[in-house]
Amino acid sequence: MSLRKDYIERLIEEFAAALARIIKARREKKLADAQRLIQETALSSLGMEYAALLMADPGATARLLGSPTRVKVLARLVAEDGELSAEQGDTATATSRIHYALALYDEVQALGLTPDADDTATIARLRGLLAVPDAR
């Protein structure tokens, strides 16, 4: 097995465990813990500070991360951050993060990685959060 494949498999396993902790903190309404875990996961999984990863446009960030798997990890972290911001009533940040996450998912697909069922569900959930209710 190649070192690259080992690295990607380890990244996915570590990220899945971290994502489970983030989701658990959100469900338990430990929102500050969830936010901290998002930032820690970006640093441990991607090797960069979360805020720094959000400074550039999604295309530039995707090029910086270099692999579709790494971009997908960031897309999911940003999606979680967007949903967390929505739960906290910060609609401006939530909307910004959701748009950024969706753009990152577009970058993932442009890099040739087909969305899996979890990606598809996350994308649908994010689009639903952006939907404006009918004002009738």
Side-chain angles (χ1 to χ4, degrees):
M1 194 175 286
S2 74
L3 289 176
R4 180 168 170 75
K5 187 173 181 182
D6 286 345
Y7 167 77
I8 290 171
E9 287 178 0
R10 191 179 78 248
L11 174 68
I12 292 168
E13 289 171 4
E14 289 173 3
F15 178 68
L19 183 59
R21 289 190 300 275
I22 292 166
I23 292 169
K24 181 178 185 240
R26 278 188 50 216
R27 283 188 183 139
E28 294 175 352
K29 302 296 181 196
K30 296 178 181 177
L31 304 182
D33 288 347
Q35 186 63 51
R36 180 185 47 78
L37 287 166
I38 288 168
Q39 293 176 15
E40 288 175 1
T41 302
L43 187 58
S44 66
S45 295
L46 302 172
M48 291 187 69
E49 294 286 338
Y50 181 69
L53 288 163
L54 300 180
M55 292 176 89
D57 66 85
T61 299
R63 288 188 298 279
L64 173 70
L65 291 173
S67 83
T69 302
R70 289 168 50 91
V71 177
K72 180 177 162 175
V73 165
L74 180 59
R76 186 57 192 271
L77 287 174
V78 177
E80 288 296 322
D81 190 17
E83 291 181 282
L84 180 62
S85 295
E87 288 175 22
Q88 293 173 320
D90 184 352
T91 55
T93 300
T95 300
S96 174
R97 294 295 191 267
I98 290 167
H99 281 292
Y100 200 91
L102 290 170
L104 286 171
Y105 276 115
D106 288 343
E107 292 294 331
V108 168
Q109 291 179 56
L111 290 168
L113 191 62
T114 303
D116 61 22
D118 184 54
D119 298 329
T120 302
T122 300
I123 291 166
R125 195 170 59 250
L126 294 176
R127 288 184 178 147
L129 288 171
L130 289 176
V132 178
D134 192 355
R136 288 186 214 175

